[in-house]
PDB file of all heavy atoms in Angstrom:
ATOM      1  N   GLU A   1     -10.647  16.973  11.168  1.00 38.00           N
ATOM      2  CA  GLU A   1     -11.900  17.594  11.595  1.00 38.00           C
ATOM      3  C   GLU A   1     -11.799  19.122  11.625  1.00 38.00           C
ATOM      4  O   GLU A   1     -12.791  19.832  11.432  1.00 38.00           O
ATOM      5  CB  GLU A   1     -12.279  17.080  12.980  1.00 38.00           C
ATOM      6  CG  GLU A   1     -12.675  15.612  12.988  1.00 38.00           C
ATOM      7  CD  GLU A   1     -13.051  15.157  14.382  1.00 38.00           C
ATOM      8  OE1 GLU A   1     -12.901  15.949  15.329  1.00 38.00           O
ATOM      9  OE2 GLU A   1     -13.499  14.010  14.522  1.00 38.00           O
ATOM     10  N   ASN A   2     -10.621  19.645  11.854  1.00 32.00           N
ATOM     11  CA  ASN A   2     -10.484  21.098  11.986  1.00 32.00           C
ATOM     12  C   ASN A   2     -10.358  21.807  10.641  1.00 32.00           C
ATOM     13  O   ASN A   2     -10.886  22.897  10.448  1.00 32.00           O
ATOM     14  CB  ASN A   2      -9.255  21.437  12.847  1.00 32.00           C
ATOM     15  CG  ASN A   2      -9.409  20.899  14.259  1.00 32.00           C
ATOM     16  OD1 ASN A   2     -10.493  20.941  14.817  1.00 32.00           O
ATOM     17  ND2 ASN A   2      -8.323  20.387  14.816  1.00 32.00           N
ATOM     18  N   THR A   3      -9.659  21.161   9.694  1.00 31.00           N
ATOM     19  CA  THR A   3      -9.384  21.854   8.439  1.00 31.00           C
ATOM     20  C   THR A   3     -10.214  21.356   7.276  1.00 31.00           C
ATOM     21  O   THR A   3     -10.357  22.050   6.275  1.00 31.00           O
ATOM     22  CB  THR A   3      -7.903  21.673   8.050  1.00 31.00           C
ATOM     23  OG1 THR A   3      -7.668  20.286   7.798  1.00 31.00           O
ATOM     24  CG2 THR A   3      -6.987  22.126   9.156  1.00 31.00           C
ATOM     25  N   GLY A   4     -10.726  20.136   7.371  1.00 36.00           N
ATOM     26  CA  GLY A   4     -11.460  19.575   6.246  1.00 36.00           C
ATOM     27  C   GLY A   4     -10.544  19.137   5.113  1.00 36.00           C
ATOM     28  O   GLY A   4     -11.001  18.788   4.046  1.00 36.00           O
ATOM     29  N   LYS A   5      -9.233  19.163   5.349  1.00 38.00           N
ATOM     30  CA  LYS A   5      -8.286  18.753   4.313  1.00 38.00           C
ATOM     31  C   LYS A   5      -7.789  17.343   4.576  1.00 38.00           C
ATOM     32  O   LYS A   5      -7.770  16.876   5.706  1.00 38.00           O
ATOM     33  CB  LYS A   5      -7.098  19.721   4.265  1.00 38.00           C
ATOM     34  CG  LYS A   5      -7.495  21.132   3.853  1.00 38.00           C
ATOM     35  CD  LYS A   5      -6.277  22.043   3.822  1.00 38.00           C
ATOM     36  CE  LYS A   5      -6.671  23.458   3.416  1.00 38.00           C
ATOM     37  NZ  LYS A   5      -5.507  24.373   3.396  1.00 38.00           N
ATOM     38  N   GLN A   6      -7.356  16.690   3.490  1.00 33.00           N
ATOM     39  CA  GLN A   6      -6.898  15.312   3.596  1.00 33.00           C
ATOM     40  C   GLN A   6      -5.620  15.223   4.420  1.00 33.00           C
ATOM     41  O   GLN A   6      -4.679  15.978   4.230  1.00 33.00           O
ATOM     42  CB  GLN A   6      -6.645  14.750   2.194  1.00 33.00           C
ATOM     43  CG  GLN A   6      -6.286  13.263   2.207  1.00 33.00           C
ATOM     44  CD  GLN A   6      -6.072  12.743   0.806  1.00 33.00           C
ATOM     45  OE1 GLN A   6      -6.437  13.394  -0.164  1.00 33.00           O
ATOM     46  NE2 GLN A   6      -5.487  11.578   0.705  1.00 33.00           N
ATOM     47  N   GLU A   7      -5.610  14.283   5.377  1.00 35.00           N
ATOM     48  CA  GLU A   7      -4.422  14.050   6.188  1.00 35.00           C
ATOM     49  C   GLU A   7      -3.397  13.245   5.391  1.00 35.00           C
ATOM     50  O   GLU A   7      -3.764  12.442   4.536  1.00 35.00           O
ATOM     51  CB  GLU A   7      -4.796  13.249   7.446  1.00 35.00           C
ATOM     52  CG  GLU A   7      -5.651  14.012   8.427  1.00 35.00           C
ATOM     53  CD  GLU A   7      -4.798  14.930   9.283  1.00 35.00           C
ATOM     54  OE1 GLU A   7      -3.622  15.144   8.944  1.00 35.00           O
ATOM     55  OE2 GLU A   7      -5.312  15.438  10.280  1.00 35.00           O
ATOM     56  N   PRO A   8      -2.117  13.419   5.683  1.00 29.00           N
ATOM     57  CA  PRO A   8      -1.119  12.538   5.090  1.00 29.00           C
ATOM     58  C   PRO A   8      -1.396  11.097   5.509  1.00 29.00           C
ATOM     59  O   PRO A   8      -1.791  10.830   6.636  1.00 29.00           O
ATOM     60  CB  PRO A   8       0.204  13.038   5.693  1.00 29.00           C
ATOM     61  CG  PRO A   8      -0.088  14.409   6.182  1.00 29.00           C
ATOM     62  CD  PRO A   8      -1.525  14.428   6.555  1.00 29.00           C
ATOM     63  N   ILE A   9      -1.203  10.168   4.582  1.00 25.00           N
ATOM     64  CA  ILE A   9      -1.513   8.765   4.843  1.00 25.00           C
ATOM     65  C   ILE A   9      -0.221   7.956   4.877  1.00 25.00           C
ATOM     66  O   ILE A   9       0.617   8.073   3.996  1.00 25.00           O
ATOM     67  CB  ILE A   9      -2.422   8.201   3.740  1.00 25.00           C
ATOM     68  CG1 ILE A   9      -3.673   9.047   3.603  1.00 25.00           C
ATOM     69  CG2 ILE A   9      -2.748   6.754   3.987  1.00 25.00           C
ATOM     70  CD1 ILE A   9      -4.855   8.658   4.352  1.00 25.00           C
ATOM     71  N   ARG A  10      -0.068   7.130   5.871  1.00 29.00           N
ATOM     72  CA  ARG A  10       1.066   6.210   5.934  1.00 29.00           C
ATOM     73  C   ARG A  10       0.544   4.821   5.577  1.00 29.00           C
ATOM     74  O   ARG A  10      -0.420   4.346   6.159  1.00 29.00           O
ATOM     75  CB  ARG A  10       1.685   6.189   7.331  1.00 29.00           C
ATOM     76  CG  ARG A  10       2.285   7.532   7.730  1.00 29.00           C
ATOM     77  CD  ARG A  10       2.965   7.438   9.082  1.00 29.00           C
ATOM     78  NE  ARG A  10       3.488   8.714   9.492  1.00 29.00           N
ATOM     79  CZ  ARG A  10       4.673   9.196   9.128  1.00 29.00           C
ATOM     80  NH1 ARG A  10       5.445   8.486   8.349  1.00 29.00           N
ATOM     81  NH2 ARG A  10       5.075  10.380   9.549  1.00 29.00           N
ATOM     82  N   VAL A  11       1.205   4.180   4.600  1.00 30.00           N
ATOM     83  CA  VAL A  11       0.715   2.909   4.080  1.00 30.00           C
ATOM     84  C   VAL A  11       1.628   1.773   4.524  1.00 30.00           C
ATOM     85  O   VAL A  11       2.839   1.840   4.348  1.00 30.00           O
ATOM     86  CB  VAL A  11       0.665   2.934   2.534  1.00 30.00           C
ATOM     87  CG1 VAL A  11       0.102   1.633   2.008  1.00 30.00           C
ATOM     88  CG2 VAL A  11      -0.165   4.110   2.063  1.00 30.00           C
ATOM     89  N   LYS A  12       1.033   0.776   5.114  1.00 30.00           N
ATOM     90  CA  LYS A  12       1.771  -0.445   5.417  1.00 30.00           C
ATOM     91  C   LYS A  12       1.633  -1.368   4.227  1.00 30.00           C
ATOM     92  O   LYS A  12       0.563  -1.913   3.957  1.00 30.00           O
ATOM     93  CB  LYS A  12       1.210  -1.121   6.667  1.00 30.00           C
ATOM     94  CG  LYS A  12       1.999  -2.358   7.083  1.00 30.00           C
ATOM     95  CD  LYS A  12       1.437  -2.954   8.358  1.00 30.00           C
ATOM     96  CE  LYS A  12       2.241  -4.179   8.769  1.00 30.00           C
ATOM     97  NZ  LYS A  12       1.706  -4.800   9.992  1.00 30.00           N
ATOM     98  N   LYS A  13       2.710  -1.544   3.474  1.00 43.00           N
ATOM     99  CA  LYS A  13       2.642  -2.256   2.204  1.00 43.00           C
ATOM    100  C   LYS A  13       2.913  -3.749   2.363  1.00 43.00           C
ATOM    101  O   LYS A  13       3.616  -4.177   3.264  1.00 43.00           O
ATOM    102  CB  LYS A  13       3.659  -1.685   1.206  1.00 43.00           C
ATOM    103  CG  LYS A  13       3.385  -0.241   0.803  1.00 43.00           C
ATOM    104  CD  LYS A  13       4.407   0.208  -0.204  1.00 43.00           C
ATOM    105  CE  LYS A  13       4.165   1.638  -0.629  1.00 43.00           C
ATOM    106  NZ  LYS A  13       2.922   1.805  -1.361  1.00 43.00           N
ATOM    107  N   VAL A  14       2.346  -4.538   1.416  1.00 51.00           N
ATOM    108  CA  VAL A  14       2.709  -5.939   1.269  1.00 51.00           C
ATOM    109  C   VAL A  14       4.141  -5.989   0.764  1.00 51.00           C
ATOM    110  O   VAL A  14       4.551  -5.137  -0.021  1.00 51.00           O
ATOM    111  CB  VAL A  14       1.770  -6.634   0.254  1.00 51.00           C
ATOM    112  CG1 VAL A  14       2.164  -8.089   0.061  1.00 51.00           C
ATOM    113  CG2 VAL A  14       0.329  -6.526   0.720  1.00 51.00           C
ATOM    114  N   GLY A  15       4.938  -6.972   1.211  1.00 50.00           N
ATOM    115  CA  GLY A  15       6.316  -7.090   0.747  1.00 50.00           C
ATOM    116  C   GLY A  15       6.382  -7.157  -0.769  1.00 50.00           C
ATOM    117  O   GLY A  15       5.612  -7.876  -1.407  1.00 50.00           O
ATOM    118  N   ARG A  16       7.277  -6.407  -1.384  1.00 46.00           N
ATOM    119  CA  ARG A  16       7.312  -6.273  -2.842  1.00 46.00           C
ATOM    120  C   ARG A  16       7.548  -7.607  -3.552  1.00 46.00           C
ATOM    121  O   ARG A  16       7.091  -7.808  -4.672  1.00 46.00           O
ATOM    122  CB  ARG A  16       8.417  -5.297  -3.241  1.00 46.00           C
ATOM    123  CG  ARG A  16       8.242  -3.915  -2.665  1.00 46.00           C
ATOM    124  CD  ARG A  16       7.355  -3.050  -3.520  1.00 46.00           C
ATOM    125  NE  ARG A  16       7.918  -2.783  -4.834  1.00 46.00           N
ATOM    126  CZ  ARG A  16       7.175  -2.404  -5.873  1.00 46.00           C
ATOM    127  NH1 ARG A  16       5.879  -2.307  -5.756  1.00 46.00           N
ATOM    128  NH2 ARG A  16       7.739  -2.143  -7.039  1.00 46.00           N
ATOM    129  N   ASN A  17       8.273  -8.533  -2.914  1.00 51.00           N
ATOM    130  CA  ASN A  17       8.570  -9.812  -3.544  1.00 51.00           C
ATOM    131  C   ASN A  17       7.650 -10.938  -3.087  1.00 51.00           C
ATOM    132  O   ASN A  17       7.840 -12.089  -3.459  1.00 51.00           O
ATOM    133  CB  ASN A  17      10.036 -10.212  -3.287  1.00 51.00           C
ATOM    134  CG  ASN A  17      10.989  -9.349  -4.087  1.00 51.00           C
ATOM    135  OD1 ASN A  17      10.858  -9.240  -5.300  1.00 51.00           O
ATOM    136  ND2 ASN A  17      11.937  -8.722  -3.414  1.00 51.00           N
ATOM    137  N   LYS A  18       6.639 -10.575  -2.280  1.00 54.00           N
ATOM    138  CA  LYS A  18       5.666 -11.561  -1.825  1.00 54.00           C
ATOM    139  C   LYS A  18       4.570 -11.726  -2.878  1.00 54.00           C
ATOM    140  O   LYS A  18       4.318 -10.834  -3.685  1.00 54.00           O
ATOM    141  CB  LYS A  18       5.031 -11.116  -0.500  1.00 54.00           C
ATOM    142  CG  LYS A  18       6.028 -11.011   0.653  1.00 54.00           C
ATOM    143  CD  LYS A  18       6.536 -12.366   1.067  1.00 54.00           C
ATOM    144  CE  LYS A  18       7.434 -12.249   2.301  1.00 54.00           C
ATOM    145  NZ  LYS A  18       7.958 -13.569   2.718  1.00 54.00           N
ATOM    146  N   PRO A  19       3.872 -12.899  -2.891  1.00 54.00           N
ATOM    147  CA  PRO A  19       2.742 -13.050  -3.818  1.00 54.00           C
ATOM    148  C   PRO A  19       1.678 -11.992  -3.547  1.00 54.00           C
ATOM    149  O   PRO A  19       1.403 -11.654  -2.397  1.00 54.00           O
ATOM    150  CB  PRO A  19       2.214 -14.450  -3.502  1.00 54.00           C
ATOM    151  CG  PRO A  19       3.352 -15.165  -2.856  1.00 54.00           C
ATOM    152  CD  PRO A  19       4.118 -14.112  -2.102  1.00 54.00           C
ATOM    153  N   CYS A  20       1.094 -11.461  -4.604  1.00 55.00           N
ATOM    154  CA  CYS A  20       0.039 -10.461  -4.442  1.00 55.00           C
ATOM    155  C   CYS A  20      -1.168 -11.105  -3.767  1.00 55.00           C
ATOM    156  O   CYS A  20      -1.558 -12.222  -4.134  1.00 55.00           O
ATOM    157  CB  CYS A  20      -0.358  -9.898  -5.806  1.00 55.00           C
ATOM    158  SG  CYS A  20      -1.530  -8.530  -5.679  1.00 55.00           S
ATOM    159  N   PRO A  21      -1.785 -10.435  -2.788  1.00 49.00           N
ATOM    160  CA  PRO A  21      -2.947 -11.008  -2.099  1.00 49.00           C
ATOM    161  C   PRO A  21      -4.136 -11.265  -3.013  1.00 49.00           C
ATOM    162  O   PRO A  21      -5.063 -11.953  -2.625  1.00 49.00           O
ATOM    163  CB  PRO A  21      -3.298  -9.944  -1.047  1.00 49.00           C
ATOM    164  CG  PRO A  21      -2.074  -9.145  -0.862  1.00 49.00           C
ATOM    165  CD  PRO A  21      -1.395  -9.142  -2.200  1.00 49.00           C
ATOM    166  N   CYS A  22      -4.131 -10.697  -4.224  1.00 47.00           N
ATOM    167  CA  CYS A  22      -5.272 -10.903  -5.115  1.00 47.00           C
ATOM    168  C   CYS A  22      -5.333 -12.324  -5.640  1.00 47.00           C
ATOM    169  O   CYS A  22      -6.336 -12.733  -6.223  1.00 47.00           O
ATOM    170  CB  CYS A  22      -5.225  -9.918  -6.290  1.00 47.00           C
ATOM    171  SG  CYS A  22      -4.013 -10.329  -7.556  1.00 47.00           S
ATOM    172  N   GLY A  23      -4.245 -13.111  -5.448  1.00 46.00           N
ATOM    173  CA  GLY A  23      -4.270 -14.502  -5.873  1.00 46.00           C
ATOM    174  C   GLY A  23      -3.847 -14.729  -7.314  1.00 46.00           C
ATOM    175  O   GLY A  23      -3.996 -15.820  -7.845  1.00 46.00           O
ATOM    176  N   SER A  24      -3.309 -13.706  -7.967  1.00 48.00           N
ATOM    177  CA  SER A  24      -2.918 -13.840  -9.370  1.00 48.00           C
ATOM    178  C   SER A  24      -1.739 -14.784  -9.560  1.00 48.00           C
ATOM    179  O   SER A  24      -1.523 -15.302 -10.648  1.00 48.00           O
ATOM    180  CB  SER A  24      -2.546 -12.467  -9.937  1.00 48.00           C
ATOM    181  OG  SER A  24      -1.366 -11.975  -9.312  1.00 48.00           O
ATOM    182  N   GLY A  25      -0.952 -14.985  -8.489  1.00 51.00           N
ATOM    183  CA  GLY A  25       0.259 -15.784  -8.597  1.00 51.00           C
ATOM    184  C   GLY A  25       1.482 -14.946  -8.900  1.00 51.00           C
ATOM    185  O   GLY A  25       2.613 -15.428  -8.818  1.00 51.00           O
ATOM    186  N   LYS A  26       1.270 -13.670  -9.258  1.00 52.00           N
ATOM    187  CA  LYS A  26       2.397 -12.777  -9.533  1.00 52.00           C
ATOM    188  C   LYS A  26       2.936 -12.190  -8.235  1.00 52.00           C
ATOM    189  O   LYS A  26       2.237 -12.150  -7.224  1.00 52.00           O
ATOM    190  CB  LYS A  26       1.948 -11.629 -10.439  1.00 52.00           C
ATOM    191  CG  LYS A  26       1.419 -12.057 -11.784  1.00 52.00           C
ATOM    192  CD  LYS A  26       0.964 -10.836 -12.568  1.00 52.00           C
ATOM    193  CE  LYS A  26       0.366 -11.222 -13.904  1.00 52.00           C
ATOM    194  NZ  LYS A  26      -0.131 -10.037 -14.640  1.00 52.00           N
ATOM    195  N   LYS A  27       4.204 -11.730  -8.281  1.00 52.00           N
ATOM    196  CA  LYS A  27       4.730 -10.995  -7.150  1.00 52.00           C
ATOM    197  C   LYS A  27       3.953  -9.686  -7.010  1.00 52.00           C
ATOM    198  O   LYS A  27       3.465  -9.123  -7.994  1.00 52.00           O
ATOM    199  CB  LYS A  27       6.214 -10.696  -7.349  1.00 52.00           C
ATOM    200  CG  LYS A  27       7.100 -11.937  -7.308  1.00 52.00           C
ATOM    201  CD  LYS A  27       8.546 -11.574  -7.541  1.00 52.00           C
ATOM    202  CE  LYS A  27       9.438 -12.812  -7.525  1.00 52.00           C
ATOM    203  NZ  LYS A  27      10.848 -12.479  -7.791  1.00 52.00           N
ATOM    204  N   TYR A  28       3.855  -9.191  -5.772  1.00 50.00           N
ATOM    205  CA  TYR A  28       3.105  -7.963  -5.512  1.00 50.00           C
ATOM    206  C   TYR A  28       3.619  -6.817  -6.371  1.00 50.00           C
ATOM    207  O   TYR A  28       2.833  -6.036  -6.915  1.00 50.00           O
ATOM    208  CB  TYR A  28       3.205  -7.610  -4.029  1.00 50.00           C
ATOM    209  CG  TYR A  28       2.463  -6.352  -3.641  1.00 50.00           C
ATOM    210  CD1 TYR A  28       1.073  -6.296  -3.696  1.00 50.00           C
ATOM    211  CD2 TYR A  28       3.152  -5.222  -3.217  1.00 50.00           C
ATOM    212  CE1 TYR A  28       0.387  -5.136  -3.348  1.00 50.00           C
ATOM    213  CE2 TYR A  28       2.474  -4.068  -2.854  1.00 50.00           C
ATOM    214  CZ  TYR A  28       1.092  -4.034  -2.918  1.00 50.00           C
ATOM    215  OH  TYR A  28       0.429  -2.896  -2.570  1.00 50.00           O
ATOM    216  N   LYS A  29       4.952  -6.721  -6.535  1.00 46.00           N
ATOM    217  CA  LYS A  29       5.521  -5.609  -7.285  1.00 46.00           C
ATOM    218  C   LYS A  29       5.183  -5.692  -8.771  1.00 46.00           C
ATOM    219  O   LYS A  29       5.269  -4.695  -9.491  1.00 46.00           O
ATOM    220  CB  LYS A  29       7.040  -5.553  -7.098  1.00 46.00           C
ATOM    221  CG  LYS A  29       7.798  -6.757  -7.673  1.00 46.00           C
ATOM    222  CD  LYS A  29       9.276  -6.654  -7.346  1.00 46.00           C
ATOM    223  CE  LYS A  29      10.050  -7.875  -7.862  1.00 46.00           C
ATOM    224  NZ  LYS A  29      11.468  -7.809  -7.493  1.00 46.00           N
ATOM    225  N   GLN A  30       4.802  -6.889  -9.254  1.00 52.00           N
ATOM    226  CA  GLN A  30       4.453  -7.063 -10.659  1.00 52.00           C
ATOM    227  C   GLN A  30       2.946  -7.047 -10.876  1.00 52.00           C
ATOM    228  O   GLN A  30       2.478  -7.198 -11.995  1.00 52.00           O
ATOM    229  CB  GLN A  30       5.030  -8.384 -11.188  1.00 52.00           C
ATOM    230  CG  GLN A  30       6.544  -8.404 -11.194  1.00 52.00           C
ATOM    231  CD  GLN A  30       7.107  -9.784 -11.436  1.00 52.00           C
ATOM    232  OE1 GLN A  30       6.395 -10.785 -11.316  1.00 52.00           O
ATOM    233  NE2 GLN A  30       8.383  -9.859 -11.784  1.00 52.00           N
TER     234      GLN A  30
END
């Protein structure tokens, strides 16, 4: 609010070897 600039974002990621939530059947990392 003070600067109007984008804040750094911290991302909570899906586990890289878990199935992708999109339902493709592929691992998230693939």
